[in-house]
Amino acid sequence: MKASGRRIALGAGLGIAAAAAGLWFGLDRFRDDSAAADPTVEALFGLSLPGLSGEPLDLGQFRGRTVVFNFWATWCAPCIEEMPELSAMQDDMAARGVQILGIGIDSDANIRRFAEKYPVSYPLLVASGDALEWMRALGNAQGGLPFTVVVDPAGSIRTRVLGRFSEPALRSVIEAASAPSA
């Protein structure tokens, strides 16, 4: 091969390499980054809600963990049926950093009375009517209960369940969301 042919081949090779690098960087800029936090979830982590003692609990302390937000009410039979399963999942998965939060759509007095009769192993928080807005923002247009949202450590929603969840299916989603990254 002549010197001019080698220069052409070398130039073409460098041009292809540069084009490939440009394409990679360009596409990387627009990729769907699953680690990007959902803005509604970020807003939820910005809240501080009163717990059973009346003291506010800063939800931001759970950012970076797998969090299960379970919206419920004391008058909702399916909500109450789920609570022992959620309590068992909290006990089983706490060591893996999983946190279940019960966000009650009721008065603080009703939630306190309920918790005295039916204790659970995860925090019960009082959100009253504001929770309906958050549920809608999280994808529950009907505002129905129970409503469960699993958020992974990156702040992405892994699943939404409107109505009574299937314990094995929910447990599977939580385990996948809390699994160490490879």
Side-chain angles (χ1 to χ4, degrees):
M1 188 189 268
K2 292 183 175 182
S4 63
R6 279 186 278 210
R7 275 187 262 137
I8 291 173
L10 180 60
L14 289 174
I16 291 171
L23 180 62
W24 184 83
F25 283 115
L27 291 176
D28 185 58
R29 184 173 178 220
F30 296 106
R31 80 173 172 222
D32 179 23
D33 188 359
S34 62
D38 182 288
T40 305
V41 171
E42 279 302 305
L44 200 53
F45 280 134
L47 297 174
S48 191
L49 297 175
L52 296 176
S53 68
E55 290 295 315
L57 180 68
D58 175 17
L59 301 188
Q61 70 180 301
F62 303 112
R63 188 180 279 113
R65 295 171 63 179
T66 299
V67 180
V68 180
F69 294 99
N70 178 256
F71 294 87
W72 69 286
T74 59
W75 42 263
C76 169
C79 299
I80 296 165
E81 290 170 10
E82 292 178 337
M83 294 177 106
E85 294 168 355
L86 288 168
S87 199
M89 283 187 261
Q90 178 64 60
D91 292 341
D92 294 347
M93 298 184 198
R96 293 173 65 182
V98 173
Q99 181 61 60
I100 297 173
L101 299 171
I103 301 179
I105 303 174
D106 210 329
S107 71
D108 57 347
N110 286 346
I111 291 173
R112 278 192 199 99
R113 278 194 297 274
F114 177 87
E116 288 171 5
K117 287 172 114 175
Y118 307 101
V120 295
S121 63
Y122 55 93
L124 295 179
L125 307 171
V126 181
S128 302
D130 292 338
L132 292 174
E133 292 176 37
W134 302 325
M135 289 190 324
R136 287 188 177 102
L138 288 165
N140 180 355
Q142 301 87 350
L145 293 173
F147 181 59
T148 306
V149 178
V150 177
V151 175
D152 67 19
S156 298
I157 295 174
R158 288 294 190 101
T159 194
R160 296 173 180 91
V161 180
L162 176 57
R164 179 83 165 85
F165 59 72
S166 156
E167 190 271 339
L170 185 63
R171 185 177 287 269
S172 176
V173 170
I174 295 168
E175 287 174 351
S178 61
S181 299

